[in-house]
């Protein structure tokens, strides 16, 4: 069992890009979702146990409270204490990271996507307002004991994809998905033009099973 600290630089939205859940048969707080290309990528791993955030112990704290410690002001740093065991420890043993030694690795958010939004050309001579920022992301996430992500979604008339309209506190999606995110694909299967029931089936699975979810944030 190894214990060490990692210093992570929050992204332009003040996020680290990970989600947390309590272990089913213990009080351990585990990383159960991580956005690919986020500041946490390459520093933290799935099922790392979080023990401290900025020297504050997480024992007895709710998942949402700890997530509020992890996320914060854009561009600032957060020190996350983790415990890693078994085969996971090899990534630390084979690296330059020393246990209990904080490391600072500048991180740049590089949104991951195989789904590129179309290029829009302005054919009018008059200047137009800047286009809204669109970022596609991929997240690996563990469902909860009931096989759910803990989100609700809806689609307006004319929309291609469903959008998240509620993230339940303490759910696997808490700290990773936000209201308004578009659900693009689940385990490689496109969710475009799908009925709500079919989207729900794609998102649900066995208890604590893993899902790769692509989503779009505007």
């Amino acid at each position: 069992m190894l214990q060490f600290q990692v210093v992570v630089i929050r992204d332009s939205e003040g996020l680290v890009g990970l989600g947390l859940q309590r272990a089913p048969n213990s009080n351990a707080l585990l990383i159960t979702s991580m956005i690919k290309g986020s500041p946490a990528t390459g520093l933290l791993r799935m099922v790392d146990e979080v023990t401290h955030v900025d020297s504050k112990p997480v024992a007895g704290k709710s998942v949402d409270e700890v997530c509020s410690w992890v996320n914060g002001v854009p561009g600032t740093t957060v020190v996350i204490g983790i415990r890693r065991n078994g085969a996971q420890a090899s990534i630390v043993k084979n690296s330059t990271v020393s246990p209990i030694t904080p490391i600072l690795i500048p991180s740049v958010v590089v949104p991951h996507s195989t789904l590129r939004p179309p290029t829009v050309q302005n054919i009018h001579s008059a200047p137009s307002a800047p286009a809204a920022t669109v970022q596609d992301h991929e997240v690996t996430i563990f469902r909860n004991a009931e096989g759910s992500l803990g989100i609700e979604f809806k689609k307006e008339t004319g929309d291609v994809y469903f959008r998240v309209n509620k993230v339940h506190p303490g759910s696997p999606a808490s700290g990773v998905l936000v209201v308004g995110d578009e659900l693009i694909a689940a385990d490689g299967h496109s969710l475009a033009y799908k009925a709500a029931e079919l989207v729900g089936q794609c998102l649900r699975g066995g208890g604590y099973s893993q899902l790769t979810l692509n989503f779009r944030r505007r």
Side-chain angles (χ1 to χ4, degrees):
M1 180 79 68
L2 290 177
Q3 289 184 270
F4 53 98
Q5 299 177 95
V6 175
V7 181
V8 185
I9 303 175
R10 299 178 175 105
D11 67 15
S12 59
E13 297 180 358
L15 305 177
V16 170
L18 57 81
L20 304 169
Q21 288 189 73
R22 292 288 178 187
N25 298 315
S26 73
N27 199 38
L29 188 63
L30 305 180
I31 296 174
T32 54
S33 57
M34 188 175 299
I35 298 175
K36 190 171 184 178
S38 68
T41 303
L43 300 177
L44 301 172
R45 291 174 62 93
M46 295 284 280
V47 301
D48 277 347
E49 179 185 352
V50 175
T51 59
H52 294 75
V53 177
D54 286 335
S55 299
K56 295 180 289 188
V58 304
K61 304 298 181 182
S62 70
V63 172
D64 280 351
E65 184 173 5
V66 176
C67 284
S68 73
W69 296 350
V70 171
N71 300 316
V73 178
T76 58
T77 60
V78 59
V79 181
I80 302 177
I82 66 171
R83 182 179 291 126
R84 183 176 295 166
N85 60 16
Q88 292 176 298
S90 63
I91 188 173
V92 178
K93 291 179 180 178
N94 295 333
S95 72
T96 57
V97 181
S98 300
I100 313 302
T101 301
I103 59 171
L104 178 60
I105 301 180
S107 52
V108 178
V109 178
V110 181
H112 172 80
S113 172
T114 57
L115 304 167
R116 298 183 179 179
T119 301
V120 178
Q121 295 181 337
N122 182 13
I123 61 175
H124 302 287
S125 58
S128 60
T133 301
V134 178
Q135 294 182 331
D136 287 353
H137 301 277
E138 180 179 292
V139 60
T140 301
I141 186 168
F142 282 105
R143 301 175 175 96
N144 62 17
E146 291 74 37
S148 170
L149 300 182
I151 63 172
E152 297 177 20
F153 51 86
K154 66 178 182 179
K155 182 165 63 174
E156 303 293 343
T157 302
D159 285 349
V160 176
Y161 301 103
F162 280 89
R163 297 175 185 267
V164 176
N165 71 322
K166 184 175 183 180
V167 179
H168 292 278
S171 69
S174 180
V176 175
L177 298 176
V178 300
V179 172
D181 284 345
E182 297 179 55
L183 305 174
I184 305 298
D187 282 336
H189 301 288
S190 174
L191 301 179
Y193 301 108
K194 294 289 192 296
E197 183 178 358
L198 184 56
V199 172
Q201 291 174 358
C202 291
L203 298 180
R204 290 190 297 270
Y208 302 113
S209 58
Q210 184 172 302
L211 171 72
T212 298
L213 179 68
N214 293 86
F215 67 95
R216 179 170 296 154
R217 182 167 297 167
R218 299 180 184 273

